[in-house]
């Protein structure tokens, strides 16, 4: 069993979303949106980090990592889930970031997705986009929508991902999942091939380049339902991002194609929830004739107004979704303010309803900067600190066994000329003997 599995088990049990591994530092969790050190785990030298990471990395990803110094893959730990993995090198040495993908797909009901979103799952053709910043829960929302289709329709679903995240079992639909670099060379190649594989629904994990976007729009126009993702923050900016990908002489044609093929956009962001956890705020665009006309005529700045008038169709702006969470007591007004895009409009809404927003000021920032060094010194993990950091989630229930520091002498400091370990598990060195799992 790889050494890192103990950290993955702890990650699941504490409810963390990500594990950050950086050479010379203590491993860190992202817990409820905050980065916190892992209790009881030592700093890891670059040589040890490389051995830990390569112990469970697939062979073709090892070769890619050696060549390009970064690679992506998915790792499954039975009984705990899958982990979307990214390995990289930086000024400290090798490192990795691992995102937890639960073994079970959360349903649309569990995520409390609005009816306007689930209605998009019943379309027979068109383009549906789920957008938002990195880490905003796009994959979770898309997986719930695909699961809803899988449970209610009898169709053929093809997913193209890098890497495969949620694994969908065959329910009522036939589901084929392809991974870029393992099952196909690229998104655009797999998307072209999908047209010859009799699909009803196609999921494109990332619409990265002009050609992939163009093929996705063409696929939607030829009678298929296409789901995709972009890293945009609002529905209107999503339309602009797609159109701006194309040369000026082609933008008129793309506007016409997009006006007829785009059926909906779900733009989401994650907010810290009261008292703990995180909750998504969704901006929802449903393409009606007014929105289609704005896209076709290049008047994307008028899309927010059309969305305000389309409330009966389930359309809503991000600020309205954030205000709903504030009214419900689920999100602090200051947190919602940080996440909103139209900040002046959000402040007016809060003031009109009597909510006080503690907006950060320059004086507050200067004060926080003045105290930052002392705070950092207090939070910096010490080499021989006893377990029990306040952020470690002491009430999270039983924990998987983790490496313990012990009393023997510390690991030798990394030397530039010292060769990294080339074989064997990390337990083979005296350093890791102290941290072996039972």
């Amino acid at each position: 069993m790889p050494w890192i599995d103990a950290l993955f088990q702890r990650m699941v049990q504490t409810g963390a979303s990500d594990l950050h591994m950086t050479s010379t530092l203590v491993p860190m969790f992202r817990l409820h949106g905050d980065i916190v050190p892992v209790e009881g785990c030592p700093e890891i030298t670059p040589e040890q980090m490389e051995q830990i990471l390569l112990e469970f990395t697939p062979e073709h990803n090892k070769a890619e990592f050696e060549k390009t110094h970064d690679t992506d893959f998915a790792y499954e730990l039975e009984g705990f889930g899958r982990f979307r993995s990214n390995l990289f090198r930086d000024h400290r040495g090798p490192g990795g970031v691992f995102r937890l993908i639960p073994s079970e797909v959360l349903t649309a009901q569990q995520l409390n997705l609005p009816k306007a979103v689930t209605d998009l799952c019943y379309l027979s053709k068109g383009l549906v986009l789920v957008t938002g910043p990195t880490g905003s829960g796009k994959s979770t929302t898309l997986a719930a929508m695909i699961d809803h289709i899988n449970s209610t329709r009898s169709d053929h679903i093809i997913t193209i991902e890098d890497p495969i995240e949620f694994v969908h079992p065959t329910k009522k639909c036939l589901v084929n999942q392809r991974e870029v670099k393992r099952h196909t060379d690229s998104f655009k190649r797999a998307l072209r091939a999908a047209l010859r594989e009799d699909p009803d629904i196609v999921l494109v994990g990332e619409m990265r380049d002009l050609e992939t976007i163009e093929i996705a729009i063409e696929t939607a126009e030829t009678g298929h339902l296409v789901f995709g993702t972009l890293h945009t923050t609002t529905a209107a900016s999503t339309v602009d991002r797609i159109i701006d990908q194309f040369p000026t002489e082609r933008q008129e044609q793309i506007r016409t194609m997009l006006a007829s093929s785009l059926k909906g956009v779900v733009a989401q962001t994650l907010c810290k929830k009261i008292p703990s956890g995180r909750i998504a705020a969704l901006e929802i665009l449903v393409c009606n004739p007014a929105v289609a006309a704005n896209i076709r005529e290049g008047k994307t700045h008028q899309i927010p107004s059309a969305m305000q008038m389309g409330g009966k169709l389930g359309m809503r702006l991000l600020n309205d979704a954030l205000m709903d969470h504030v009214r419900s007591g689920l999100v602090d007004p200051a947190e919602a303010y940080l996440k909103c895009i139209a900040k002046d409009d959000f402040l007016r809404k809060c003031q009109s309803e009597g909510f006080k927003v503690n907006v950060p000021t320059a004086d507050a920032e200067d004060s926080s900067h003045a105290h930052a060094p002392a705070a950092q010194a207090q939070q910096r993990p010490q080499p021989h600190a006893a377990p029990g950091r306040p952020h470690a989630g002491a009430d999270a229930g039983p924990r998987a066994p983790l490496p313990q520091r012990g009393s023997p002498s510390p690991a030798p400091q990394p030397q530039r000329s010292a060769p990294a370990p080339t074989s064997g598990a990390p337990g083979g060195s005296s350093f890791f003997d102290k941290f072996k799992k039972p």
Side-chain angles (χ1 to χ4, degrees):
M1 185 163 120
W3 186 89
I4 201 172
D5 283 359
L7 289 176
F8 287 152
Q9 292 173 18
R10 172 76 68 84
M11 181 179 174
V12 173
Q13 291 164 352
T14 57
S17 61
D18 299 83
L19 167 65
H20 291 254
M21 300 280 285
T22 302
S23 293
T24 74
L25 298 179
V26 171
M28 307 271 184
F29 285 152
R30 183 174 291 278
L31 186 62
H32 307 318
D34 295 325
I35 295 290
V36 297
V38 178
E39 175 188 350
C41 202
E43 296 88 353
I44 301 175
T45 68
E47 287 82 3
Q48 295 153 359
M49 182 68 73
E50 183 144 357
Q51 198 166 2
I52 290 170
L53 297 178
L54 296 184
E55 182 183 15
F56 67 101
T57 302
E59 290 300 325
H60 70 279
N61 291 99
K62 288 182 183 178
E64 183 180 37
F65 184 58
E66 288 299 319
K67 182 178 179 180
T68 66
H69 304 303
D70 51 52
T71 187
D72 297 287
F73 60 93
Y75 174 71
E76 183 167 7
L77 181 58
E78 188 174 353
F80 290 89
R82 290 167 60 81
F83 299 85
R84 188 181 72 193
S85 309
N86 173 266
L87 307 187
F88 62 87
R89 292 186 189 275
D90 66 2
H91 66 294
R92 300 178 187 271
V97 179
F98 309 92
R99 165 134 331 149
L100 173 63
I101 306 164
S103 299
E104 294 186 5
V105 177
L106 294 176
T107 66
Q109 291 74 25
Q110 288 173 314
L111 291 179
N112 199 27
L113 293 182
K115 183 177 181 297
V117 176
T118 56
D119 284 348
L120 297 173
C121 299
Y122 296 103
L123 295 170
S124 59
K125 64 178 181 178
L127 178 63
V128 176
L129 299 173
V130 177
T131 75
T134 300
S136 61
K138 299 185 295 294
S139 297
T140 302
T141 299
L142 263 180
M145 296 174 75
I146 293 297
D147 179 73
H148 190 70
I149 294 172
N150 195 10
S151 303
T152 58
R153 297 172 58 168
S154 299
D155 288 320
H156 181 203
I157 302 171
I158 296 176
T159 76
I160 307 165
E161 304 170 75
D162 183 20
I164 293 173
E165 298 187 6
F166 293 92
V167 177
H168 296 274
T170 296
K171 295 181 179 179
K172 296 187 69 176
C173 290
L174 169 63
V175 184
N176 294 119
Q177 296 185 255
R178 306 188 69 193
E179 183 171 312
V180 174
K181 299 176 186 174
R182 283 186 62 196
H183 309 130
T184 182
D185 287 341
S186 63
F187 279 104
K188 59 187 178 184
R189 184 180 181 90
L191 194 50
R192 285 198 184 280
L195 294 174
R196 301 187 293 273
E197 294 161 4
D198 186 33
D200 298 290
I201 296 100
V202 179
L203 166 65
V204 185
E206 291 183 43
M207 296 169 63
R208 294 176 173 172
D209 53 61
L210 182 150
E211 191 170 356
T212 301
I213 293 173
E214 184 174 21
I215 300 169
I217 295 173
E218 291 173 354
T219 303
E221 282 205 316
T222 54
H224 303 86
L225 180 57
V226 179
F227 290 90
T229 67
L230 286 172
H231 290 89
T232 46
T233 53
T234 65
S237 64
T238 299
V239 175
D240 287 332
R241 173 71 62 85
I242 292 174
I243 294 171
D244 290 344
Q245 288 277 343
F246 292 84
T248 304
E249 62 272 14
R250 294 200 56 199
Q251 290 184 0
E252 189 71 27
Q253 174 197 5
I254 296 302
R255 283 195 194 96
T256 302
M257 294 173 65
L258 195 61
S260 61
S261 62
L262 184 65
K263 300 302 179 185
V265 178
V266 180
Q268 68 180 63
T269 187
L270 281 184
C271 302
K272 293 180 181 178
K273 186 179 178 182
I274 299 174
S276 64
R278 289 191 285 179
I279 188 170
L282 306 182
E283 176 169 292
I284 302 170
L285 167 68
V286 179
C287 246
N288 60 6
V291 173
N294 286 332
I295 296 174
R296 190 181 304 109
E297 296 167 10
K299 299 178 180 178
T300 53
H301 62 281
Q302 295 183 6
I303 289 179
S305 298
M307 292 173 67
Q308 288 179 322
M309 294 185 289
K312 291 183 179 179
L313 296 175
M315 287 197 261
R316 66 188 334 190
L317 294 169
L318 179 61
N319 277 7
D320 295 326
L322 290 169
M323 280 303 303
D324 283 348
H325 289 332
V326 171
R327 291 188 198 101
S328 303
L330 297 174
V331 174
D332 184 85
E335 170 71 6
Y337 174 81
L338 291 175
K339 298 294 184 178
C340 72
I341 303 301
K343 295 191 182 298
D344 290 341
D345 174 68
F346 183 78
L347 285 176
R348 284 194 295 269
K349 290 178 184 291
C350 287
Q351 290 169 359
S352 66
E353 298 190 30
F355 292 106
K356 184 178 179 181
V357 182
N358 295 319
V359 180
T361 62
D363 291 341
E365 289 180 4
D366 291 341
S367 175
S368 66
H369 290 163
H371 295 290
Q376 290 173 0
Q378 292 175 0
Q379 294 176 2
R380 186 178 297 118
Q382 300 299 320
H384 299 288
R389 292 185 179 89
H391 300 291
D395 58 347
R399 294 170 174 165
L402 261 185
Q404 299 299 318
R405 292 187 185 279
S407 57
S409 58
Q413 293 300 312
Q415 300 294 326
R416 187 176 298 272
S417 60
T422 57
S423 63
S429 69
S430 60
F431 178 86
F432 286 101
D433 282 341
K434 296 179 291 184
F435 308 127
K436 277 185 176 180
K437 298 184 295 295

